[in-house]
């Protein structure tokens, strides 16, 4: 017997990067932060664990207030969720009555959520240089969702250009997914008070060392936040667990640690990019915590497999226009030195360089 509702029979779920269970692996495949959580996070989590017999706070106010401070907005303009994935799912479920439009090459969850929530989706190809041309979005009445910087290219759009998009049709919602914004792009958060049709989504997974805790946020006009709460309280009022709330609050309280790690990732990205360019790779102008690179003498899939054989995990996408690229998360400097050494050896073995 198959009890799955027929409308989900062809649902193609998201494919997460592998989480290999080996200590000696260099894991550069899911854009996690290479550094551990801020020291205060561990203490806060163990303290929260002592009260796990109680439900978590459904208002999530400790984290919401801290985020409101940080972004200089009011708590009514902030929502938090079980990872930004949960928030994106709420967006697809409830804020896309007239359909959605997003880049054909972008975060792999957009088409999955569109299918899951039966939203009509329009995918717009990237320009030949892998940038996003906003013209078709500007003219559309569908809800727009853009990752900025985009994934997996890392290429960012300017605040000025995105503002033009938001302004071009106040009747249409624009969602900016800022999962990677802390690594160099311009945030749209300062504009949410000027535009009712702008929602910014962010995460603690990439720049705040909390991928495993599952914590994301959305910043927007109070009526948009109200809409997200309506969906959340109709599904799971306790969507963020108490240990994660404690972890998030503590992470936000250590801005010095945050900035130190941010700086290290940005510097290591520059080092790795230069080393790849020196080896003959074409590398996009990534403002994220990963690089997107291809070499004309070796296929993406082949390099991916050869690195994997050497216990280095990166991401390869089986998609036409980006088949020759690898997405390489930025690890520690030490990890990236090893990565470059191994790439150099592989190229030599292939008679390149
Ligand atoms: C990683 C990522 C997310 C999801 O982050 P979580 O908060 O871990 O769910 C959302 N959008 C983009 C573009 C991402 O790369």
């Amino acid at each position: 017997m198959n009890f799955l509702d027929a409308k989900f029979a062809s649902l193609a779920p998201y494919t997460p990067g592998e989480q290999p269970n080996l200590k000696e692996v260099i894991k550069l495949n899911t854009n996690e932060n290479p550094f551990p959580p801020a020291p205060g996070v561990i203490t806060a989590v163990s303290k929260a664990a002592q009260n796990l017999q109680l439900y978590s706070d459904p208002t999530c106010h400790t984290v919401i207030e801290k985020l409101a401070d940080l972004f200089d907005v009011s708590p009514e303009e902030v929502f938090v969720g079980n990872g930004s994935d949960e928030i994106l799912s709420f967006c697809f479920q409830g804020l896309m009555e007239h359909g959605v439009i997003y880049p054909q090459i972008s975060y792999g969850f957009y088409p999955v959520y569109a299918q899951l929530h039966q939203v009509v989706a329009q995918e717009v190809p990237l320009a030949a240089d892998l940038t996003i041309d906003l013209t078709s979005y500007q003219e559309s009445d569908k809800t727009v969702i853009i990752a900025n910087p985009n994934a997996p290219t890392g290429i960012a759009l300017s605040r000025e250009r995105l503002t033009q998009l938001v302004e071009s049709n106040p009747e249409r919602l624009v969602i900016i997914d800022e999962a990677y914004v802390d690594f160099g792009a311009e945030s749209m958060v300062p504009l949410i008070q000027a535009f009712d049709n702008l929602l910014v989504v962010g995460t603690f997974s990439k720049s705040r060392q909390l991928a495993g805790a599952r914590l994301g946020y959305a910043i927007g006009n109070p009526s948009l936040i109200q809409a997200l709460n309506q969906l959340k309280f109709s599904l799971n009022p306790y969507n963020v667990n108490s240990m994660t709330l404690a972890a998030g609050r503590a992470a936000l309280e250590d801005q010095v640690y945050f900035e130190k790690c941010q700086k290290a990732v940005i510097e290591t990205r520059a080092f790795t990019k230069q080393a790849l360019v020196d080896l003959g790779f074409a590398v996009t102008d990534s403002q994220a915590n990963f690089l997107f690179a291809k070499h004309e003498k070796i296929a993406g899939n082949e390099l991916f497999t050869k690195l994997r054989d050497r216990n280095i995990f990166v991401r390869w996408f089986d998609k036409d226009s980006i088949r020759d690229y690898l997405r390489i998360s930025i690890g520690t400097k030490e990890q990236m030195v090893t990565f470059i050494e191994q790439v150099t050896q592989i190229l030599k073995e292939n008679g390149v360089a």
Side-chain angles (χ1 to χ4, degrees):
M1 266 315 287
N2 180 2
F3 293 106
L4 180 65
D5 187 322
K7 67 174 178 273
F8 296 122
S10 64
L11 178 63
Y14 179 74
T15 319
E18 283 177 90
Q19 294 291 99
N21 219 347
L22 296 165
K23 273 238 152 48
E24 63 275 23
V25 155
I26 297 186
K27 194 172 175 308
L28 310 175
N29 66 341
T30 50
N31 299 341
E32 289 142 329
N33 202 284
F35 304 110
V41 169
I42 321 289
T43 325
V45 169
S46 36
K47 209 164 147 228
Q50 291 165 15
N51 283 314
L52 279 178
Q53 75 279 17
L54 304 176
Y55 278 110
S56 61
D57 170 20
T59 72
C60 302
H61 83 276
T62 50
V63 170
I64 286 184
E65 277 159 20
K66 208 69 204 162
L67 281 168
D69 276 357
L70 181 73
F71 289 126
D72 200 19
V73 297
S74 85
E76 290 71 43
E77 293 166 319
V78 185
F79 179 83
V80 297
N82 192 314
S84 57
D85 286 340
E86 184 191 49
I87 302 175
L88 294 171
S89 177
F90 285 142
C91 292
F92 277 79
Q93 186 176 25
L95 303 175
M96 300 189 179
E97 204 177 336
H98 303 294
V100 61
I101 179 168
Y102 52 78
Q104 193 177 42
I105 303 293
S106 192
Y107 186 39
F109 244 125
Y110 303 156
V112 178
Y113 286 143
Q115 220 194 335
L116 176 66
H117 297 301
Q118 329 242 298
V119 175
V120 176
Q122 182 183 347
E123 298 191 348
V124 183
L126 295 182
D129 62 357
L130 302 182
T131 57
I132 297 172
D133 176 355
L134 286 177
T135 316
S136 354
Y137 303 86
Q138 207 128 313
E139 291 159 0
S140 173
D141 287 327
K142 299 185 169 80
T143 298
V144 177
I145 181 159
I146 302 264
N148 192 50
N150 195 19
T153 63
I155 300 169
L157 286 159
S158 70
R159 179 183 287 161
E160 194 189 349
R161 198 60 197 86
L162 286 172
T163 303
Q164 287 168 1
L165 169 70
V166 175
E167 268 174 340
S168 66
N169 181 359
E171 311 276 292
R172 170 258 286 132
L173 177 65
V174 174
I175 300 170
I176 305 296
D177 180 350
E178 296 193 346
Y180 302 104
V181 79
D182 292 327
F183 302 104
E186 296 176 302
S187 174
M188 288 296 279
V189 168
L191 292 156
I192 62 111
Q193 281 156 345
F195 300 106
D196 290 356
N197 61 324
L198 169 65
L199 185 72
V200 178
V201 178
T203 177
F204 286 63
S205 296
K206 314 287 164 52
S207 62
R208 292 190 188 264
Q209 298 84 26
L210 290 181
R214 316 301 304 126
L215 186 60
Y217 57 84
I219 316 283
N221 171 277
S223 75
L224 280 170
I225 301 307
Q226 176 56 37
L228 291 172
N229 274 312
Q230 194 161 338
L231 294 166
K232 155 184 156 156
F233 282 93
S234 306
L235 177 74
N236 179 11
Y238 314 106
N239 63 331
V240 183
N241 76 70
S242 357
M243 291 182 297
T244 294
L245 287 173
R249 168 99 192 178
L252 292 172
E253 277 167 351
D254 198 340
Q255 203 61 12
V256 172
Y257 183 78
F258 165 73
E259 282 165 19
K260 193 178 99 182
C261 296
Q262 183 185 38
K263 190 161 165 274
V265 169
I266 292 170
E267 281 172 11
T268 307
R269 178 180 71 204
F271 158 79
T272 311
K273 181 177 179 180
Q274 189 56 53
L276 286 171
V277 167
D278 292 346
L279 287 169
F281 281 84
V283 189
T284 63
D285 178 22
S286 173
Q287 301 299 314
N289 66 338
F290 55 81
L291 290 169
F292 200 53
K294 70 168 176 182
H295 198 291
E296 61 177 15
K297 300 273 174 57
I298 185 164
N301 195 21
E302 183 182 355
L303 184 54
F304 166 78
T305 309
K306 291 193 162 157
L307 282 165
R308 203 171 178 282
D309 291 344
R310 293 159 186 250
N311 276 339
I312 298 177
F313 286 65
V314 298
R315 198 83 198 262
W316 171 71
F317 299 92
D318 193 2
K319 270 194 150 184
D320 277 344
S321 55
I322 54 170
R323 192 175 299 281
D324 281 328
Y325 282 86
L326 293 183
R327 190 195 69 191
I328 305 135
S329 309
I330 301 302
T332 60
K333 177 82 184 272
E334 193 192 5
Q335 288 177 321
M336 301 321 282
V337 167
T338 308
F339 164 75
I340 292 294
E341 281 167 7
Q342 295 299 321
V343 171
T344 307
Q345 275 188 23
I346 293 168
L347 290 179
K348 275 199 183 123
E349 281 166 21
N350 275 43
V352 186

